[in-house]
Amino acid sequence: MKTIRNKLVFCFAFCSIVSIHIFAQEHPMLMVTKAGVQKIRQELGKVPLFDASIKNVKIEVDQAIAAGIDVPVPKDYSGGYTHETHKRNFLIMQKAGLLYQILQDQSYAVYVRDLLFAYEKLYKTLPLHPQTRSYARGKLFWQCLNDSNWLVYTSQAYDCIYDWLSYKERKLLEKNLFRPFADFISVENPQFFNRVHNHSTWGNAAVGMIGLVMQDDELVKRALYGIENANLAKGVKDNDGGFISNENQKAGFIANIDEPFSPEGYYTEGPYYQRYAMYPFLAFAQALQNAKPELRIFKYKNEVLLNSVSVLLNLTDANGEFFPLNDGQKGMSYHSRELHTAVDLAYYYGDKNPSLLSIAKKQGRVLLNDAGLAVAMAVRDGKTIPFVKKTIHLTDGAKGNQGGISVIRYGEDEALTSVFKYAAQGLSHGHYDKLSFSLYNAQGDEVLQDYGLARFVNIEQKGGGNYLKENKTWAKQTIAHNTLVQDEVSHFNGKYEIGSKHHSELYFLDTEKASFQLVSAKETNAYPKTTLQRTQVMIKLEALKDPVLLDLLRVSSDTVHQYDLPFYYLGQLIATNFTTKCSSTLVTLSKKHGYQHLWLEGSGLANSTLSQFTFLNHQKYYTISTATTADDQVLLTRIGANDPKFNLRRDAGYMLRRNAKNTLFATVVEPHGGYSYVSEFSTGAKSSLHNIDILWNSESYTLVKLILTNGQEYVLCLANNQNKPTAEHTLQVGEQLFSWKGTYKFLTIK
Amino acid sequence: MKTIRNKLVFCFAFCSIVSIHIFAQEHPMLMVTKAGVQKIRQELGKVPLFDASIKNVKIEVDQAIAAGIDVPVPKDYSGGYTHETHKRNFLIMQKAGLLYQILQDQSYAVYVRDLLFAYEKLYKTLPLHPQTRSYARGKLFWQCLNDSNWLVYTSQAYDCIYDWLSYKERKLLEKNLFRPFADFISVENPQFFNRVHNHSTWGNAAVGMIGLVMQDDELVKRALYGIENANLAKGVKDNDGGFISNENQKAGFIANIDEPFSPEGYYTEGPYYQRYAMYPFLAFAQALQNAKPELRIFKYKNEVLLNSVSVLLNLTDANGEFFPLNDGQKGMSYHSRELHTAVDLAYYYGDKNPSLLSIAKKQGRVLLNDAGLAVAMAVRDGKTIPFVKKTIHLTDGAKGNQGGISVIRYGEDEALTSVFKYAAQGLSHGHYDKLSFSLYNAQGDEVLQDYGLARFVNIEQKGGGNYLKENKTWAKQTIAHNTLVQDEVSHFNGKYEIGSKHHSELYFLDTEKASFQLVSAKETNAYPKTTLQRTQVMIKLEALKDPVLLDLLRVSSDTVHQYDLPFYYLGQLIATNFTTKCSSTLVTLSKKHGYQHLWLEGSGLANSTLSQFTFLNHQKYYTISTATTADDQVLLTRIGANDPKFNLRRDAGYMLRRNAKNTLFATVVEPHGGYSYVSEFSTGAKSSLHNIDILWNSESYTLVKLILTNGQEYVLCLANNQNKPTAEHTLQVGEQLFSWKGTYKFLTIK
């Protein structure tokens, strides 16, 4: 017999559908094992973090049991009563199942059984959900996605009481509820199930997990490899604007690991959706590991599932909140339930990385299973070491050849973090934000923000908790990001079909030395015949207390364009060295591509040499200094125009505007000094930068001189088209000769 | 010999100038005593909080000593280099003096001496400060106020090394520095020294404290009772718009206790300035207690100085930040240095209130003196009990007959707090905000904000760190507050001369029961021939999880006016039950009285029965529901128009507008449900209020019915002109007869 394992070794690039065999298994097997339960019972009362976790779960479940069973007829969108009730039901059921296993208190099994039969009774009567917005309407919920959430959790509850139920009860549930449910979200909705998308990952896991419990071969196979010959039409889109069919027509759980994950474990949709998909990825993987260890699922694609947990933790600010790359709701963090699961499983099935324990400690709770017990015991035994976030570079694309993301950090305390994006489109949740960046401080505060999404997830009054139209008209548009807009048109003309075909390219990076970290990337497709190159350099100069970010945005084209470069600062404007005029009425910047959402609060001519803009963000000053001429314009903007329902935040922007063919926006973002609201001391409130002198800017080279107010001077020499370490470069600038070997050199002049 | 003590007993209402005698004293005597130092030395290493405090102070002072002495020629406004350097110098000098006493390490004495002689050398050369904005320019600083800060702290440093200096050194310092300094801020600037104002309090304390150290009778007398026959012209104003001369021409430290403090200890300028004045009040009082215990200064006016500390602590939100009544910079809190001093001294010289210890613990440091040691020992000995903030009512005015403030709190966790103001003008820092209120939650977040001031204290780039003109054009204006504006004109026409003559009046209060707390106040002078009555009721209904605030604003006039009632909510608008139109250009609401700073973001007709406005503040929903008719308008505003220097925050407002003679704005502010950004659960996102039915509204009675969505009904019956507890009232409304005894009754109908 060919084992699946051998197959997997040979099908890294493309997994063909193989025949698999299910063996009789003991229950439980999904989230927890029989052996695991025995071990847990032995350790009860001896492992503080585990005991505390049980206690909290018990309180929650006991309250739910006391409140009684409520299985309403489906009616609402997310945030509405029926939606939230069914959601709560599956979360509680899963926990009740575990409590039954661990505490061996039958009342939990009774509760799960009664709920399951309430669903059994309801489900067989259900037509499609009455809300029609989804491309794949569910039955319990408005979309198959949420139905799949239900089944991922409920299959675990069923697994936990499987042996406790009678044969007849099991058959009834499987016949009337689970099998039809699994078929509905798969074969009856191939446009949902057979994609490479976080939606399908949930669908795959749901079908696979219930298949394992039911020991149903066919379902497990369908989960792993998709529906055969689904033949989805090409070019059809879902209600979020994403393509239903991927080019290779691959589908199923394995395809969903292959495609959206880069080799390091970056998920192309971005961290918010990676977090969301993490639960079905890991829950199903764990179940497969328990039920079918020969699959070696955690080893698949160089352990990408386990590695992706560490990637996800690295894609957080100092508070543990995910960077809102692409569509992402701010505030989501590693305190979410998905990350509890992810961290515990990554520890247990990975190499027992003790730094994960520090995250588990911050989370304050563990899974009620084998993995959670292992984590809690290791924490108890003092094995924790800090999880220190460093500069990381992640490639995008299944093969890691579609650009990527750099998170450039200075300081062990994450004193300054730039999140620099030169990735692919990111499927339907992607934004048109090539070469954009955002900036964070040591407290996890945003300094220069990425807007995130225009949605209030699960808040029913706000468009049913779904994506609002401002997500498309504002949040995805280029002007909503800290990157360059040409002629007031978004990258790829804001068209998903075009954007999906392209990605930026990493040009060069060197971040070995903490005091000088350079990343440079290029984008040649966002605008026809225009090349963008952005180079971000995190520099810690001896003379300055804080690191600075040197940001070089080079544009070249063969015709003159209007280039807009916005910085969405957060905080209070303190001072500028240019003058802006404010009018007594506010008008919008323009009519489309997001500009229709910006009020023009002030505008004027830039400073003739260096435009400086100082703001106070929480208790720290920041100055954005850009080399400008008197032909440049400065614009002060406010988000919120043409937003009658107040779906957008009224946040501020500072924008540079320049008409040119080839040009360089040379900017330094400089944290400095501080202000205390309690002592009312203001220190270092002024920039230490005297000037930014662009010595040279061409297709081949960019040379920029920084001059501090104390007289010190530094020059960065950068080769723009030659990144071989051995290449030698010589350039005469005025009377001065610059020569260097390798892509760049950073010189201290005086 | 008549002692000062007997004098004080007889001069409660008006203190005549008495002859006082200074006796030879041992040094130190101001912040710390010789006996205190001995005790401290005995306890070193045994009292954790004290030891930690010394350690921190030592690090700070050692760093300053290592940095060397810097006494620059005065040049800058606040926030500028010379200003901040001189400020840091006096703060460090004071600490160095204490370290010398406690650690008996001469290097600290040397540092203080060297700094003092650097000042001695500089001071005698100084003309008036070059910046001319102040009505009382200083020499080291731009205003005498900051010169006085310097002397209050520096006199303590001098006191600590007094015995260590030679006779000759002392005479030199006193002749060239201290005596001329004290004369300059007093007899040479009577317009500064002889007022009832926080400025003068600092001046009085400065002169008094250096007088005590120098054993200079004349200076101490001047400090306590002011300059004799200063004869300040009436009607002259300072650069903040305050009157220089008070009516009674009383002056000096005692007058500054008599006048601005109400009997309970509320300071008429508001908590931000009370905090600021607290340091000189208590530091000088402590010095007097040490040097002249027969004065019994802490017993004066029924212990008002000590009581005012507790008042101040009660005027904070759940984070310990002061309510920004009148001019107040947000973020100032009981973590300020002034409050460290205040809490320790109030504990030590008061009745050793153990709840003060919990504040000291949160502050994390104590004074390096007798009081600080006592606090730290008590903390060590486990005497701490929580400081629980309850509903409090404070009168305003020296005699407590000029209205006041109510802080209405529900819950031990300060779940909901309304700060209701019906006070006097508050001297030159007062705002035109009669019957305004602001609302806070259990986390200390503002829900409905008071704007605070328009100033960035000590941030030089923002107008030298001083009051900005928007403080007058916006922050002080009525429309900047959550209160009623008639015909778009501020209370008292925004005129200080008129506002200073009047105050609101408390009409009735009953806050005995936590679940039903009612405060009602009236204002009859803000607008000629118009009477305002506002009644705030904090109600905890059984049916609702959260308390609600019922807010009844009754207006009566004999002609029709436009009444505007704004609510400056903080957070994200979620839903309204009325429709507003937004235009594609923004215009301001009007041209003056603050309206010129408001953009009109949306407007429309109110709901014909109940207008509901729901917003999300952090993780909690709030709905503002107001009984309206279709003739009312709703306006959505944004602060920030006509603000070319971006001095104002772009905060939102929701405003009701009604044309009427006599009317009632009946509003319920209702916290409900919640949202988690991590679980993405949205619960209770909709209001539980079905309607507010105004059953009756007349000069005599107001009857309002609240109807919940669950069908429950409640009626509040309020007598508007009869607050005798024995009075009986009967009123026929339609078919229903209401009768009650006393000012109000709250009925559960069904």
Side-chain angles (χ1 to χ4, degrees), chain A residues 272 457-458 572 646 675 680, chain B residues 272 457 572 646 675 680 685:
Chain A
Y272 178 77
V457 180
N458 292 337
Q572 169 65 45
F646 288 72
Y675 185 73
E680 295 183 338
Chain B
Y272 179 78
V457 181
Q572 170 66 46
F646 289 71
Y675 185 74
E680 294 183 337

Side-chain angles (χ1 to χ4, degrees), chain A residues 79 84 87-88 91 272 275-276 329-333 335-338 365 456-462 569 572-575 580 582-588 599 601-602 614 616 621 636 638-640 642-650 672 675-683 685-687, chain B residues 79 84 87-88 91 272 275-276 329-333 335-338 365 456-462 569 572-575 580 582-588 599 601-602 614 616 621 636 638-640 642-650 672 675-683 685-687:
Chain A
E84 296 300 307
K87 182 174 169 187
R88 193 165 287 113
L91 291 172
Y272 178 77
R275 177 271 326 168
Y276 184 62
Q329 179 164 279
K330 292 180 183 179
M332 181 53 75
S333 77
H335 292 289
S336 63
R337 59 180 171 269
E338 297 89 353
R365 53 177 176 168
F456 299 86
V457 180
N458 292 337
I459 298 183
E460 192 189 14
Q461 296 103 314
K462 283 290 194 189
Y569 69 97
Q572 169 65 45
L573 193 163
I574 295 294
T580 51
C582 297
S583 97
S584 55
T585 57
L586 283 194
V587 296
T588 62
W599 295 118
E601 282 199 331
T614 301
L616 180 65
Y621 295 104
L636 301 175
R638 178 81 42 190
I639 303 166
N642 288 303
D643 176 27
K645 291 184 184 292
F646 288 72
N647 288 335
L648 299 175
R649 301 189 303 273
R650 269 48 178 166
H672 52 94
Y675 185 73
S676 160
Y677 289 92
V678 164
S679 75
E680 295 183 338
F681 263 112
S682 168
T683 56
K686 291 180 182 167
S687 165
Chain B
E84 297 299 306
K87 182 175 170 188
R88 192 165 287 114
L91 290 172
Y272 179 78
R275 175 270 328 170
Y276 184 63
Q329 179 164 279
K330 291 179 183 180
M332 180 56 75
S333 77
H335 292 288
S336 64
R337 59 180 170 272
E338 297 89 351
R365 53 177 178 170
F456 299 86
V457 181
N458 291 336
I459 299 184
E460 192 190 13
Q461 294 104 311
K462 283 289 194 190
Y569 70 97
Q572 170 66 46
L573 192 162
I574 295 295
T580 51
C582 297
S583 98
S584 56
T585 56
L586 284 195
V587 296
T588 61
W599 295 118
E601 282 199 330
T614 300
L616 179 64
Y621 295 104
L636 301 175
R638 178 80 45 188
I639 304 166
N642 288 302
D643 176 29
K645 292 185 184 292
F646 289 71
N647 288 335
L648 299 175
R649 300 188 305 272
R650 266 51 178 166
H672 51 96
Y675 185 74
S676 160
Y677 288 93
V678 165
S679 75
E680 294 183 337
F681 263 114
S682 168
T683 55
K686 291 180 182 168
S687 165

Side-chain angles (χ1 to χ4, degrees), chain A residues 279-422:
Chain A
Y279 190 84
F281 273 124
L282 290 175
F284 188 29
Q286 177 186 231
L288 289 169
Q289 182 66 28
N290 291 339
K292 312 184 67 60
E294 69 280 7
L295 260 176
R296 300 185 72 211
I297 189 71
F298 282 119
K299 295 283 175 201
Y300 186 66
K301 199 174 169 178
N302 204 17
E303 306 194 7
V304 72
L305 286 181
L306 296 172
N307 292 338
S308 73
V309 177
S310 160
V311 162
L312 204 39
L313 293 173
N314 266 296
L315 288 174
T316 63
D317 64 27
N319 287 324
E321 295 182 12
F322 299 117
F323 301 128
L325 296 167
N326 294 328
D327 285 339
Q329 179 164 279
K330 292 180 183 179
M332 181 53 75
S333 77
Y334 60 49
H335 292 289
S336 63
R337 59 180 171 269
E338 297 89 353
L339 267 286
H340 293 146
T341 303
V343 167
D344 290 1
L345 297 186
Y347 177 82
Y348 187 64
Y349 293 104
D351 55 1
K352 310 286 185 293
N353 178 347
S355 72
L356 291 174
L357 301 174
S358 71
I359 306 290
K361 268 173 90 166
K362 283 185 188 165
Q363 292 172 337
R365 53 177 176 168
V366 292
L367 293 179
L368 301 188
N369 70 355
D370 319 41
L373 181 69
V375 166
M377 288 174 73
V379 166
R380 178 197 61 189
D381 299 341
K383 294 183 179 163
T384 309
I385 65 168
F387 188 92
V388 178
K389 286 180 251 174
K390 292 184 181 150
T391 292
I392 53 162
H393 311 285
L394 302 166
T395 61
D396 195 3
K399 295 178 186 145
N401 59 359
Q402 298 187 13
I405 303 277
S406 285
V407 182
I408 314 170
R409 292 186 167 97
Y410 178 82
E412 294 224 341
D413 60 347
E414 306 173 50
L416 195 63
T417 299
S418 176
V419 183
F420 181 27
K421 184 171 185 247
Y422 45 92

Side-chain angles (χ1 to χ4, degrees), chain A residues 698-733:
Chain A
S698 69
E699 283 302 294
S700 305
Y701 298 113
T702 297
L703 272 71
V704 169
K705 182 192 275 186
L706 305 183
I707 306 167
L708 301 189
T709 51
N710 70 1
Q712 290 187 311
E713 298 185 2
Y714 309 86
V715 172
L716 173 68
C717 308
L718 182 68
N720 291 327
N721 284 316
Q722 175 53 276
N723 59 7
K724 280 192 193 143
T726 53
E728 299 200 0
H729 308 277
T730 303
L731 193 69
Q732 178 86 31
V733 181

Side-chain angles (χ1 to χ4, degrees), chain B residues 171-191:
Chain B
K171 286 302 126 187
L172 213 56
L173 287 173
E174 293 184 3
K175 179 168 158 264
N176 293 333
L177 180 60
F178 293 129
R179 180 74 204 210
F181 201 115
D183 285 343
F184 175 72
I185 59 173
S186 55
V187 288
E188 294 177 43
N189 282 283
Q191 83 284 14

Side-chain angles (χ1 to χ4, degrees), chain B residues 339-379:
Chain B
L339 268 286
H340 293 146
T341 303
V343 167
D344 291 2
L345 297 186
Y347 178 82
Y348 187 66
Y349 292 105
D351 53 2
K352 309 284 184 293
N353 179 346
S355 72
L356 291 174
L357 301 174
S358 71
I359 306 290
K361 267 173 92 165
K362 285 187 186 164
Q363 293 171 337
R365 53 177 178 170
V366 292
L367 293 179
L368 302 187
N369 70 356
D370 320 42
L373 181 69
V375 167
M377 289 175 72
V379 166

